[in-house]
């Protein structure tokens, strides 16, 4: 009897058909149509985009195709695309052809217009160059021990057989990592010290930033260089201890032995040989805290929200990290994170303002148009990810993430500066949780996504019950 040859496994990763994109002349742009518009009243578009972005962008793509234009809070709302070739054209755009839209976000008055997050053009490249060294993979390896300790401390505290929301618990870990990695503040510092005041104020500000009133107040800050209203009051409370810590550290005699980012930045010099001013340091440090804390915590919460509802993936991970094959364990941890970031990207959309006419497939947009890339839509293209709504870490068993099809950290000269740190944190926390804890969901229904500031988070904070701990 001959055995029939095994049917080829259905590929779990494919590719999109090509679509031309990039800068074009005004004459060529005039020959191409503008992208179709979302056909809803403007107020409704803004509301739906902010409250239910998943339904909004998937609905618009179904009706209008992979490029469409919506109206936003300010006139001249963004075009939204989800084609990898369009993404590539924007990620690889020359700085004089496209600027990041974070420079126009409500973060601008909070961290100032000159931080790595908000600056554009040459100023952005200068700040990025200064900040790169402490974020390199090798530099990150030095923080790993501290992340392991912060994780174990936190896991030991979790109650058994009681529903808990993972997001705030993950934030406790990422706050420890940020305070230690960025400011060199370990654990809970002594009361009465600027370090203690800074940790408390940071925690308070991050908590307040989740309140609805704070989010509305942030909208008042759009387009400004300095904050107003309650945002200003909250920031003043944080600025005082921040400047105190900066001044004290500047006077420290052991800077060269210290590994935190503040100490490294105090020794950094620009190409012109200048050191960073207190204001520059404050802006950069605050940008890092804001960019790195909630994102990493909620990304981890999302991965668990998916895992506990996907027994095959959960079992595979648990078996791997509890087994003796370290290489297999590391591979499966990585695949689980990659799939989690694909299926629930905590930052669902990013953008550039194109400064010259731009082709996007069959359409063209004029100079000075905000063009956004829906990370959510890119990550759910059926031609790239068959069965896109399924959580299948095994997609990544034989495939590496594509530069323009897996984009939770953005790309090009604006790619997330903290990506290596965020990956290290996720690897350590995911591995420790899967190895030490038996976890199950509280409600079998998937959690909705809600939007907080620029992030997309699980509505109930990823509620789970820890059944046992080893
Ligand atoms: C899972 C966690 C994280 C996710 C999903 C994430 C995602 C992103 C995304 C999508 C961008 C915009 C990229 C673009 O426009 O192309 C970004 C930028 C940035 N992120 Fe992250 N991030 C994470 C963690 C962190 C951490 C831990 C830090 C640092 C402590 C950090 C620091 C930054 C900075 C400084 C930028 C601005 C880079 C620039 O404009 O040059 N992020 N991040």
């Amino acid at each position: 009897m001959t055995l029939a040859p095994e049917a080829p496994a259905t590929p779990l990763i494919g590719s999109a058909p090509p679509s031309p994109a990039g800068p074009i002349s005004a004459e060529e742009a005039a020959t191409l149509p503008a992208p179709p518009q979302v056909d809803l009243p403007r107020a409704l578009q803004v509301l739906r985009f902010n409250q239910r972005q998943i339904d909004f962008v998937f609905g618009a793509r179904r009706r209008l195709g992979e490029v469409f234009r919506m109206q936003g809070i300010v006139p001249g709302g963004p075009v939204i695309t989800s084609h990898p070739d369009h993404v590539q054209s924007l990620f690889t755009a020359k700085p004089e052809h496209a600027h990041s839209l974070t420079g126009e976000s409500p973060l601008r008055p909070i961290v100032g217009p000159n931080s790595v997050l908000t600056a554009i053009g040459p100023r952005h490249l200068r700040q990025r160059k200064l900040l790169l060294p402490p974020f390199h993979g090798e530099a990150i390896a030095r923080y790993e021990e501290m992340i392991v300790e912060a994780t174990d401390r936190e896991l030991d505290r979790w109650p058994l057989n009681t529903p808990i929301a993972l997001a705030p618990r993950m934030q406790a870990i990422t706050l420890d990592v940020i305070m230690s990695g960025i400011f060199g503040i370990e654990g809970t510092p002594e009361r009465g010290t600027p370090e203690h005041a800074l940790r408390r104020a940071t925690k308070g500000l991050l908590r307040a930033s989740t309140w609805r009133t704070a989010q509305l107040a942030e909208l008042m800050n759009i387009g400004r260089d300095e904050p107003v209203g309650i945002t200003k009051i909250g920031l003043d409370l944080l600025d005082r201890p921040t400047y105190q810590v900066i001044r004290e550290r500047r006077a420290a005699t052991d800077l060269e032995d210290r590994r935190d980012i503040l100490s490294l930045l105090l020794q950094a010099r620009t190409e012109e040989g200048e050191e960073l001013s207190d204001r520059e340091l404050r802006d950069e440090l605050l940008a890092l805290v804001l960019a790195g804390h909630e994102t990493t915590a909620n990304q981890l919460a999302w991965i668990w929200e998916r895992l506990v509802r996907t027994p095959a993936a959960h079992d595979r991970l648990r078996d791997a990290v509890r087994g003796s094959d370290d290489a297999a364990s590391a591979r499966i941890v990585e695949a689980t994170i990659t799939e989690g970031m694909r299926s629930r990207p905590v930052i669902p959309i990013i953008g550039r303002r194109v400064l010259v006419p731009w082709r996007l497939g069959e359409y063209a947009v004029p100079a000075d148009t905000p063009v956004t890339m829906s990370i959510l839509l890119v990550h759910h293209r059926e031609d790239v990810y068959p069965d896109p709504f399924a959580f299948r870490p095994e997609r990544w068993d034989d495939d590496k993430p594509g530069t323009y099809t897996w984009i939770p950290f953005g790309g090009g000269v604006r790619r997330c500066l903290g990506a290596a740190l965020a990956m290290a944190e996720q690897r350590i926390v995911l591995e420790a949780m899967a190895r030490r804890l038996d976890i199950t969901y509280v409600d079998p229904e998937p959690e909705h996504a809600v939007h907080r500031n620029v992030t997309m988070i699980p509505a109930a904070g990823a509620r789970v019950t820890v059944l046992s701990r080893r």
Side-chain angles (χ1 to χ4, degrees):
M1 190 174 74
T2 55
L3 285 174
E6 250 184 51
T10 319
L12 288 171
I13 302 200
S15 55
S19 176
I24 49 173
S25 67
E27 293 73 42
E28 194 183 348
T31 65
L32 293 167
Q37 295 267 358
V38 174
D39 44 357
L40 288 171
R42 178 157 153 206
L44 206 55
Q45 292 193 39
V46 172
L47 195 71
R48 292 224 179 131
F49 182 79
N50 285 306
Q51 304 277 322
R52 293 215 170 265
Q53 194 181 124
I54 298 188
D55 295 345
F56 179 84
V57 295
F58 279 94
R61 184 170 78 173
R62 242 187 337 268
R63 288 194 311 278
L64 305 170
E66 63 192 4
V67 184
F68 51 86
R69 186 158 194 167
M70 67 169 287
Q71 295 189 50
I73 295 176
V74 284
V79 168
I80 299 181
T81 178
S82 54
H83 195 290
D85 292 352
H86 306 180
V87 171
Q88 175 170 14
S89 77
L90 294 161
F91 281 178
T92 56
K94 294 185 185 153
E96 64 271 26
H97 283 169
H99 286 162
S100 170
L101 285 175
T102 41
E104 300 172 29
S105 78
L107 283 174
R108 183 184 167 97
I110 294 173
V111 298
N114 293 319
S115 78
V116 68
L117 207 57
T118 45
I120 50 177
R123 170 78 196 191
H124 166 255
L125 289 179
R126 168 188 185 264
Q127 296 310 100
R128 197 169 161 100
K129 226 165 153 185
L130 281 173
L131 282 164
L132 267 175
F135 284 104
H136 262 263
E138 277 167 37
I140 296 303
R142 295 196 309 238
Y143 302 128
E144 283 177 2
E145 203 177 310
M146 179 267 295
I147 304 174
V148 169
E149 282 165 18
T151 307
D152 278 333
R153 255 198 323 269
E154 184 58 30
L155 299 196
D156 284 338
R157 279 203 281 263
W158 295 2
L160 300 184
N161 300 311
T162 312
I164 54 169
L166 284 179
R169 311 252 165 191
M170 297 296 170
Q171 277 167 20
I173 300 175
T174 57
L175 183 65
D176 271 0
V177 174
I178 290 272
M179 294 315 283
S180 162
I182 297 183
F183 292 101
I185 299 176
E186 309 285 345
T188 310
E190 221 177 288
R191 273 177 179 277
T193 58
E195 283 79 8
H196 184 268
L198 176 59
R199 191 176 197 284
R200 218 181 39 190
T202 308
K203 216 169 152 179
L205 189 81
L206 291 168
R207 187 165 333 117
S209 75
T210 66
W211 300 341
R212 274 247 175 273
T213 36
Q215 285 165 44
L216 291 175
E218 267 187 24
L219 297 180
M220 285 165 50
N221 286 308
I222 288 182
R224 297 177 192 271
D225 275 356
E226 294 291 333
V228 291
I230 60 164
T231 315
K232 175 161 172 40
I233 298 170
L235 274 179
D236 284 347
L237 290 176
L238 180 68
D239 279 348
R240 232 168 291 141
T242 305
Y243 280 119
Q244 248 178 314
V245 169
I246 292 175
R247 274 194 296 271
E248 268 187 15
R249 192 67 53 79
R250 219 183 253 294
T253 49
D254 63 344
L255 274 189
E256 279 167 28
D257 303 327
R258 300 189 65 111
R259 299 177 313 181
D260 57 90
I261 291 170
L262 168 57
S263 300
L264 294 172
L265 286 182
L266 279 167
Q267 299 167 74
R269 295 291 175 270
T270 65
E271 274 169 6
E272 305 80 46
E274 291 162 13
E275 56 183 42
L276 296 179
S277 68
D278 285 3
R279 172 72 207 241
E280 283 180 298
L281 286 167
R282 174 268 185 207
D283 289 352
E284 294 305 350
L285 299 174
L286 185 55
L288 295 177
V289 171
L290 293 177
H293 172 69
E294 232 191 82
T295 42
T296 316
N298 280 297
Q299 191 64 70
L300 273 162
W302 269 128
I303 294 174
W304 279 101
E305 189 279 342
R306 294 290 77 207
L307 266 179
V308 292
R309 291 173 178 80
T310 320
H314 193 181
D315 289 349
R316 193 167 93 121
L317 174 69
R318 217 167 16 194
D319 290 348
V321 300
R322 293 177 188 184
S324 55
D325 185 343
D326 288 351
S329 165
R331 231 181 16 251
I332 289 175
V333 166
E334 195 75 14
T336 308
I337 297 169
T338 308
E339 181 67 350
M341 297 189 82
R342 179 195 72 79
S343 87
R344 293 293 187 277
V346 72
I347 295 187
I349 198 157
I350 50 173
R352 308 287 185 258
R353 181 174 288 280
V354 298
L355 306 174
V356 290
W358 212 267
R359 180 161 186 184
L360 296 164
E362 58 192 295
Y363 305 111
V365 296
D368 203 25
T369 302
V371 181
T372 58
M373 296 155 266
S374 169
I375 298 177
L376 256 177
L377 288 179
V378 172
H379 286 184
H380 287 84
R381 288 184 68 100
E382 292 203 21
D383 46 12
V384 180
Y385 299 108
D387 199 7
F389 291 92
F391 181 75
R392 302 181 71 176
E394 67 272 22
R395 279 184 212 281
W396 307 101
D397 284 353
D398 303 313
D399 278 292
K400 288 223 172 305
T403 313
Y404 309 114
T405 47
W406 186 84
I407 53 170
F409 290 118
V413 288
R414 305 298 305 219
R415 185 171 191 270
C416 175
L417 201 60
L421 176 60
M423 288 304 288
E425 286 187 66
Q426 292 188 88
R427 277 184 210 113
I428 291 168
V429 177
L430 187 68
E431 194 272 343
M433 285 177 67
R435 182 169 38 81
R436 295 192 55 200
L437 310 177
D438 287 316
I439 304 179
T440 186
Y441 52 72
V442 174
D443 179 352
E445 286 302 309
E447 284 188 28
H448 288 301
V450 293
H451 295 269
R452 195 154 82 193
N453 308 322
V454 292
T455 58
M456 177 180 91
I457 63 176
R463 265 158 62 85
V464 299
T465 304
V466 180
L467 302 171
S468 64
R469 175 174 42 228
R470 53 194 83 209

